[in-house]
Amino acid sequence: MNRAGKRYADAWSAIVDLLVANGVDTCFGLPGDDLELLRALDAAGLDLVPCRDQRNAMYMATGYALQTGRLAVCALGKGPAVTHAATGLLEARESGAPVLVLAAGVAERRRGSGGFQELDQVAVTAPLVRWAHRVGHPDRVVPATVTALTRAAGPPPGPVYLEIPDDVRTAEVLVTGPRPTPPEPLVLEPGPVTWGPALGAIGASRRPVVLVGGGMRHSNGDGAVEHFAEHLGAALFTTASGRGAVDERHPLFCGVAGLYAAAPARALWASCDLVVSLAGRLEETVVEGGTPWPPVEVVQVNVDPAGLSAEFSGPRVLGDARHAVLGWSRALGERRKAEHADASEAWAGEIADARKAMSREVEAELVRAAALPGVRIAELLAALDATAGEPRVLVQENGLQDMWSYCFPFHVGGGSIVPSEQTPLGFGAAAAIGVKRAAPDHEVTAFIGDGAFLAARADIAVAAPAHGGVLYVVLCNGGYGWLDAQRARLGLDADRYPFTRPGAPPPMVDGPDIRCRVLRDKSALTSEILAARRFCSQGGTAVLMVPVAPDDIPPPIRDAEVVPQ
């Protein structure tokens, strides 16, 4: 509702009022000395999840935004607080997460004088966000905030940076006219689609693959993508970021493409005749790393021009991928099924055979694991899936051994939050707190390495009393498994370059709201996970430390020969 003649005691009060009007109920962060923001949040009934590390604050906000599809807010100090958060800004940008960063700044009169923590923060953040702005006058606080909210929402969504200098944040803000509001989205049902290059390629395909990217998150609630795949008889894959956007129990789903694909799924890729990429960026781990990209046309659809790759032949469509699949499905009607009935039936048979072969591989891996000492990661994932309730979400890292969770069908179903191609250490460990805050009714499990756990350990401990409920499953190899694998590949001395210390769990986290266990006994696997889940259901934070063997590497990663055998 617009209100004329509104007077605010300071800039933070005006900004928080706009946040409330836009449905924000939670902020994450580590403010600087300007705790007036906390006073404004308290007055408005908004909660701040306090953090110990600005990177983790950004990861939490990003996890919240990815889980909900709504705006998340992160509050920072100035100078080194902003540079410390830069890694989180990079991750939010690459993940397409709508995050509003509110930062303090040196007063205008002190700029250029060596003011305390003075830094050209706009120049630092501009390459990492969709919009970076320093508010120069109290009259600009409200318009600048509305612009920031608009830019963050997109399309495409992404992080924005808004700096409130010390002299502006303490000044009275007077809104003399109607308060500006973000634009109202005009939701249109897709109209008739004319026959063009993209639809022509889709209609002519006999062995298609549909690849779903992270941009389809929150855009496929009614199964439009699955219906489109059924209409085409297409094998259905996702990128790592797109996982969770489609039903993984669908009979056409074949897992994550590229580096993480099982051998039978790679065989499908090698023999397809068209790839339809929906709202993805075709990043390196999708097109390289073990699965030879077939020499076929790629139909790309993305609402973001930057997401349309020029590296592949085939039609590129600038637009909403959801509207595209709905329009294409209507335009094709029954025509395609009638024209390619025999080919579609044969391709459907190959997809079904590939899925059966992948299931047999999981069964064989579990038999092999049962004969080996210690807990193997395939067994751990099987127990986690077997004990999980609904709704649920798995929050992941991207290290050598936690990549097991990317490999279908070793982990199946539920939601999924993963780091982008940038894969910053500690993202999943901290993001899980934001995900749980966004979805308190979900079982939230963070499947991470011990390096990631240590990076977020302080914030896990701080968040546990008020923002618990997360189960942390920590794979303990004593450091960085991927780097140690590459060290071994080059024949470098392990004592000189000790990237891992196998079997050594990191220090425990103490507190009545935290339950920590070291899990070494196979026979206790299910009972310990169930006990941890019960503790989390009561609001506590559970940590299961699982020592893992250096050779416990996901089969697709072994097959890709990117680590030594």
Side-chain angles (χ1 to χ4, degrees):
M1 181 176 67
N2 291 334
R3 288 175 289 181
K6 178 72 174 179
R7 189 183 300 274
Y8 299 96
D10 55 34
W12 290 135
S13 298
I15 291 170
V16 169
D17 193 29
L18 284 169
L19 296 180
V20 171
N22 282 272
V24 174
D25 60 6
T26 304
C27 299
F28 304 87
L30 180 59
D33 297 336
D34 52 325
L35 297 185
E36 293 92 343
L37 172 60
L38 303 188
R39 185 171 60 192
L41 292 172
D42 285 346
L46 268 66
D47 194 14
L48 176 80
V49 178
C51 304
R52 291 292 186 267
D53 183 302
Q54 292 89 350
R55 289 171 302 178
N56 290 336
M58 279 298 307
Y59 297 156
M60 290 180 201
T62 300
Y64 181 99
L66 291 176
Q67 177 64 27
T68 62
R70 303 195 309 270
L71 180 78
V73 178
C74 182
L76 306 172
K78 53 180 177 281
V82 173
T83 58
H84 206 204
T87 301
L89 279 171
L90 174 64
E91 176 58 32
R93 185 194 71 182
E94 294 298 295
S95 294
V99 179
L100 168 60
V101 177
L102 297 171
V106 171
E108 188 64 34
R109 68 179 182 276
R110 297 296 302 167
R111 286 171 69 94
S113 69
F116 181 64
Q117 294 185 329
E118 181 183 353
L119 175 70
D120 187 351
Q121 294 166 191
V122 169
V124 169
T125 57
L128 304 175
V129 297
R130 296 199 64 232
W131 187 62
H133 181 69
R134 174 182 166 94
V135 180
H137 190 275
D139 290 349
R140 304 303 307 158
V141 168
V142 170
T145 303
V146 172
T147 300
L149 294 170
T150 305
R151 296 283 189 101
V160 297
Y161 170 85
L162 193 63
E163 181 177 328
I164 313 298
D166 291 340
D167 50 344
V168 173
R169 69 175 172 82
T170 56
E172 182 181 74
V173 174
L174 177 63
V175 180
T176 57
R179 183 176 66 188
T181 59
E184 177 183 352
L186 182 60
V187 179
L188 297 174
E189 283 301 312
V193 176
T194 58
W195 204 270
L199 193 52
I202 294 169
S205 171
R206 294 168 180 253
R207 304 169 67 84
V209 162
V210 172
L211 176 63
V212 181
M216 285 304 298
R217 188 182 295 274
H218 306 295
S219 295
N220 190 40
D222 58 355
V225 171
E226 290 90 330
H227 176 70
F228 177 62
E230 291 166 5
H231 204 81
L232 298 184
L236 184 58
F237 287 83
T238 69
T239 66
S241 297
R243 198 163 187 192
V246 299
D247 179 6
E248 297 196 351
R249 301 189 185 277
H250 192 279
L252 293 174
F253 184 72
C254 297
V256 179
L259 179 63
Y260 312 111
R266 291 176 180 177
L268 290 175
W269 272 94
S271 60
C272 76
D273 65 359
L274 180 74
V275 175
V276 182
S277 173
L278 303 175
R281 287 198 304 264
L282 299 178
E283 56 263 34
E284 183 180 337
T285 56
V286 173
V287 302
E288 297 182 15
T291 303
W293 190 265
V296 300
E297 282 197 324
V298 180
V299 175
Q300 301 178 58
V301 192
N302 208 306
V303 74
D304 181 7
L308 293 172
S309 173
E311 306 297 323
F312 303 91
S313 64
R316 297 186 300 159
V317 178
L318 182 61
D320 183 272
R322 172 181 168 77
H323 283 188
V325 298
L326 289 173
W328 288 337
S329 294
R330 290 174 182 171
L332 289 168
E334 296 300 314
R335 171 179 170 180
R336 188 182 184 283
K337 291 182 180 179
E339 290 178 348
H340 302 315
D342 291 343
S344 295
E345 185 177 348
W347 185 231
E350 291 184 46
I351 295 169
D353 289 344
R355 284 174 51 86
K356 291 175 184 176
M358 286 188 278
S359 295
R360 288 195 297 270
E361 287 185 356
V362 172
E363 294 169 2
E365 185 69 32
L366 289 174
V367 169
R368 188 180 78 88
L372 295 172
V375 175
R376 305 294 290 190
I377 302 174
E379 297 173 302
L380 179 58
L381 282 173
L384 286 170
D385 277 355
T387 58
E390 295 291 349
R392 60 188 167 112
V393 59
L394 189 71
V395 188
Q396 294 144 284
E397 286 282 331
N398 195 256
L400 176 62
Q401 294 180 302
D402 29 354
M403 279 193 287
W404 267 97
S405 60
Y406 286 59
C407 299
F408 174 85
F410 288 99
H411 163 63
V412 181
S416 181
I417 299 292
V418 303
S420 71
E421 188 92 335
Q422 297 289 340
T423 66
L425 178 70
F427 168 77
I433 298 170
V435 171
K436 184 63 179 180
R437 181 65 195 231
D441 61 328
H442 285 51
E443 280 188 355
V444 177
T445 302
F447 195 75
I448 63 177
D450 48 6
F453 179 80
L454 285 173
R457 182 175 182 271
D459 276 305
I460 292 170
V462 168
H467 307 285
V470 178
L471 167 59
Y472 288 90
V473 179
V474 186
L475 307 180
C476 301
N477 59 17
Y480 304 108
W482 187 270
L483 289 178
D484 193 63
Q486 302 312 313
R487 175 205 58 75
R489 180 174 62 85
L490 296 175
L492 299 173
D493 187 350
D495 291 331
R496 187 174 180 186
Y497 302 102
F499 291 116
T500 63
R501 193 159 53 94
M508 292 288 189
V509 183
D510 298 322
D513 304 288
I514 301 177
R515 181 182 191 274
C516 287
R517 297 288 188 275
V518 177
L519 185 53
R520 290 190 172 92
D521 183 2
K522 288 178 188 287
S523 64
L525 189 58
T526 299
S527 61
E528 284 286 2
I529 292 174
L530 286 171
R533 292 201 188 282
R534 285 193 296 271
F535 190 78
C536 292
S537 70
Q538 298 165 1
T541 295
V543 181
L544 291 178
M545 303 284 189
V546 187
V548 293
D551 65 347
D552 199 352
I553 298 171
I557 307 300
R558 293 198 307 259
D559 295 345
E561 298 182 353
V562 293
V563 295
Q565 306 304 303

